[in-house]
Amino acid sequence: MSSLPTHRLFSYGTLQLPEVQLARFGRLLDGRADALLGYRLGYVRITDPEVIAASGSDRHPLVTPSTDPDDAVEGSVFEITDEELASADDYEVDDYARTSVRLRSGGTAWAYLAAPADA
């Protein structure tokens, strides 16, 4: 028996892709649009073959804080279980760090942001 969704996850990248959701969670997630304010979108080259196979690309989006408060990164918020959050953690490579963020809607969610350089 799987647990009930207990986490909110904001995705701006490959976790929004149906093929990645099916590979990681065994189901398609039902998301709603939201945004992360004060961040900008960049990209990182992925070298993990399993992640590349799941996403179909070695170039993944990566957000970093912006000095422009008008910057925003659009994405989707998903309700996921403890097990699905653990699976998302396994999917994200070391370039990312799971962080609690406040979204444009006023709600909070987990998001995978650029890992600190000293980590």
Side-chain angles (χ1 to χ4, degrees):
M1 181 173 155
S2 64
S3 64
L4 296 174
T6 58
H7 300 280
R8 292 167 34 106
L9 177 66
F10 175 75
S11 175
Y12 54 87
T14 60
L15 286 173
Q16 296 180 94
L17 299 174
E19 58 271 23
V20 173
Q21 292 178 8
L22 289 171
R24 295 311 309 174
F25 311 126
R27 69 180 181 107
L28 294 177
L29 303 178
D30 184 25
R32 70 178 192 333
D34 212 328
L36 182 59
L37 303 177
Y39 286 81
R40 66 175 175 231
L41 188 63
Y43 290 89
V44 63
R45 185 164 186 264
I46 302 296
T47 58
D48 185 305
E50 288 181 38
V51 174
I52 294 169
S55 69
S57 176
D58 69 348
R59 188 172 184 255
H60 285 207
L62 181 68
V63 298
T64 56
S66 173
T67 57
D68 183 347
D70 292 330
D71 280 347
V73 176
E74 301 291 330
S76 298
V77 176
F78 302 106
E79 302 283 337
I80 61 172
T81 66
D82 291 338
E83 293 83 7
E84 290 167 337
L85 184 61
S87 182
D89 285 345
D90 288 342
Y91 172 76
E92 297 296 354
V93 297
D94 290 341
D95 296 299
Y96 297 87
R98 180 164 46 96
T99 306
S100 180
V101 297
R102 181 158 304 279
L103 301 170
R104 177 173 48 209
S105 64
T108 59
W110 292 114
Y112 294 97
L113 308 181
D118 59 343

